[in-house]
Amino acid sequence: MSMRKYVNDYETILSVNEKGEQIRTYEYRGDYFNLPFSQPEMRKLKITFLVLLAGTILAHIVSGLLNNDGMRRFYVALPYALVFLPLFNLLRSGIRLPVEERNYRRDEIGVTYERFTNHSLILLITLGLCLLGEMVYLLFFNGNKPAQLEFIFLAVELTALALGFISYERLKKVVITKASDEGISIAVNG
């Protein structure tokens, strides 16, 4: 996700310092947003999401260590590997989730709550594709081989999917409101 979409929220101010060098300063002119939580609720929300995410990551890694035959098929292995991309972005966003009561800039909301919501949905889709691939393998290509590891794989991946779904549903309920405009401006040196 590029930060260019927030470029119109900043105004570039050119000035000259005492050495005669031109200095650029960026002043935020965009909208501010409020989160519907108190500071203790924000901390609890962040910890909850990070614990759910850690459980999702752990379950997904454990399922990959099972050495089941289904993971040797591209239609299971490829979605399995692709799950790590949204997991990485969710971890980055989860660490950045705010925990203080104040007005937030559009880019601060974008790299946390918006990204968290979008990548949670991508995570659910890729985990679903991995599970679908495993079910296709079990139904059509497993033959008479023992399927105990396949069912364990399915159970562990379903656990990861359930944890991801809980995260997605909780975050979807967060309503971010636009703050009132009361002459707020923040200067950012660049």
Side-chain angles (χ1 to χ4, degrees):
M1 189 177 291
S2 174
M3 294 299 283
R4 286 187 201 173
K5 74 180 196 177
Y6 307 114
V7 74
N8 293 331
D9 290 340
Y10 289 89
E11 180 181 328
T12 305
I13 300 170
L14 299 174
S15 59
V16 178
N17 67 5
E18 55 275 346
K19 296 179 185 178
E21 299 170 333
Q22 190 176 27
I23 296 178
R24 276 182 210 196
T25 306
Y26 301 98
E27 191 170 327
Y28 185 74
R29 299 286 184 178
D31 295 328
Y32 285 88
F33 299 89
N34 289 326
L35 296 172
F37 310 114
S38 65
Q39 191 167 353
E41 290 171 328
M42 284 189 224
R43 287 184 196 278
K44 183 181 176 187
L45 180 73
K46 182 175 183 172
I47 290 169
T48 302
F49 282 124
L50 289 175
V51 167
L52 286 170
L53 184 60
T56 305
I57 291 169
L58 183 65
H60 189 64
I61 289 172
V62 166
S63 69
L65 297 175
L66 290 175
N67 195 23
N68 58 320
D69 287 338
M71 279 293 285
R72 294 183 184 86
R73 307 295 186 257
F74 77 94
Y75 48 86
V76 178
L78 183 63
Y80 177 86
L82 289 176
V83 167
F84 286 104
L85 296 174
L87 282 177
F88 173 72
N89 283 319
L90 285 170
L91 183 60
R92 276 185 4 181
S93 297
I95 291 170
R96 289 175 141 182
L97 281 174
V99 292
E100 56 189 45
E101 282 186 77
R102 65 176 174 88
N103 292 332
Y104 290 94
R105 298 185 314 258
R106 184 187 320 272
D107 55 326
E108 292 174 312
I109 296 297
V111 298
T112 55
Y113 284 96
E114 288 177 14
R115 184 180 291 172
F116 211 118
T117 305
N118 294 340
H119 288 283
S120 291
L121 184 58
I122 293 168
L123 173 69
L124 294 177
I125 291 168
T126 52
L127 278 171
L129 289 172
C130 183
L131 285 165
L132 181 66
E134 181 65 23
M135 286 188 268
V136 166
Y137 171 74
L138 274 172
L139 291 174
F140 300 110
F141 302 109
N142 190 32
N144 293 330
K145 298 177 190 172
Q148 181 180 3
L149 283 177
E150 306 302 330
F151 290 120
I152 294 172
F153 178 84
L154 275 174
V156 176
E157 282 295 292
L158 275 172
T159 302
L161 182 69
L163 292 171
F165 183 74
I166 292 168
S167 294
Y168 177 73
E169 282 299 312
R170 285 192 176 190
L171 201 65
K172 205 168 86 170
K173 292 177 183 176
V174 175
V175 177
I176 300 169
T177 58
K178 188 175 173 181
S180 63
D181 299 329
E182 297 177 0
I184 304 169
S185 67
I186 296 176
V188 179
N189 292 328

